[in-house]
């Protein structure tokens, strides 16, 4: 990631990555086909770590509203730190981008589960469409290149929580 930030994705070679990592180039090729596969693996690792943390976090909260609040706050924090990764996605092949989109659909599934739980417990509106609403909420949580570590993450997360909970809460 350091090399990419210095030179851009197109300016990084496997030889430079191997040198930076302190391994032989062939060792790197034993694990990755090219620079794009390394970038994809880094992004997927970031996403998987976030999903694991979300599942653990949600297990520690009762009620769909509290779970949705925590899910949003955690996702915004992760996207703030993953903004640089998000900016690279446009440089990846369509196949790599599709793989990352499929991976991110897991976040949407978690949101859908929380919405369905909230409807079942009477905390959320009964006219919600869990599929469409989960897709919309996930869109709010998707990493953006302009969300950097200097963004006031807590303030942004609070705004999204207020907006989403106001929209889904039962009247």
């Amino acid at each position: 990631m350091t090399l990419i930030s210095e030179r851009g994705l197109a300016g990084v070679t496997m030889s430079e990555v191997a040198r930076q990592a302190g391994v032989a180039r062939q060792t790197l090729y034993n694990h990755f086909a090219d620079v794009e596969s390394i970038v994809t693996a880094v992004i997927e690792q970031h996403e998987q770590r976030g999903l694991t943390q979300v599942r653990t976090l949600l297990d520690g909260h009762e009620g769909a509203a509290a779970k949705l609040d925590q899910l949003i706050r955690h996702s915004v924090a992760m996207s703030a730190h993953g903004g640089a990764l998000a900016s690279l996605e446009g440089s990846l092949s369509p196949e790599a981008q599709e793989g990352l989109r499929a991976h991110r659909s897991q976040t949407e599934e978690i949101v859908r589960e929380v919405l369905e739980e909230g409807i079942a417990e009477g905390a959320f509106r009964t006219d919600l469409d869990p599929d469409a609403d989960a897709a919309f909420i996930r869109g709010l949580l998707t990493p953006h290149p302009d969300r950097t570590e200097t963004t006031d993450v807590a303030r942004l997360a609070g705004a999204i929580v207020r907006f989403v909970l106001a929209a889904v809460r039962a009247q």
Side-chain angles (χ1 to χ4, degrees), residues 41-68:
V42 168
I43 294 170
E44 286 177 350
Q45 182 182 41
H46 177 79
E47 295 287 325
Q48 191 57 50
R49 184 173 45 248
L51 288 169
T52 299
Q53 290 172 348
V54 162
R55 290 280 186 197
T56 301
L57 183 66
L58 295 185
D59 287 344
H61 287 80
E62 292 295 322
K67 289 179 181 180
L68 190 56

Side-chain angles (χ1 to χ4, degrees), residues 2-104:
T2 301
L3 290 171
I4 291 170
S5 69
E6 293 171 355
R7 302 174 189 181
L9 183 59
V12 177
T13 67
M14 290 293 275
S15 294
E16 291 168 325
V17 172
R19 187 172 29 261
Q20 182 83 16
V23 299
R25 193 173 65 131
Q26 186 55 49
T27 300
L28 193 59
Y29 275 111
N30 289 340
H31 299 281
F32 300 101
D34 52 25
V35 172
E36 179 181 78
S37 65
I38 295 171
V39 172
T40 302
V42 168
I43 294 170
E44 286 177 350
Q45 182 182 41
H46 177 79
E47 295 287 325
Q48 191 57 50
R49 184 173 45 248
L51 288 169
T52 299
Q53 290 172 348
V54 162
R55 290 280 186 197
T56 301
L57 183 66
L58 295 185
D59 287 344
H61 287 80
E62 292 295 322
K67 289 179 181 180
L68 190 56
D69 180 300
Q70 289 302 305
L71 171 62
I72 291 168
R73 290 180 191 281
H74 179 78
S75 296
V76 169
M78 289 294 290
S79 71
H81 298 295
L85 299 177
S87 67
L88 289 173
E89 288 183 37
S91 303
L92 299 176
S93 69
E95 296 80 17
Q97 289 181 30
E98 181 57 34
L100 294 173
R101 275 192 294 275
H103 189 76
R104 290 213 175 104

Side-chain angles (χ1 to χ4, degrees), residues 68 72 111 115 124 133 136-137 140-141 158-169:
L68 190 56
I72 291 168
V111 173
L115 291 176
F124 294 164
D133 295 331
F136 176 74
I137 293 168
L140 293 173
L141 306 177
I160 296 173
V161 166
R162 283 189 305 278
F163 175 80
V164 170
L165 288 179
V168 301
R169 276 206 170 115

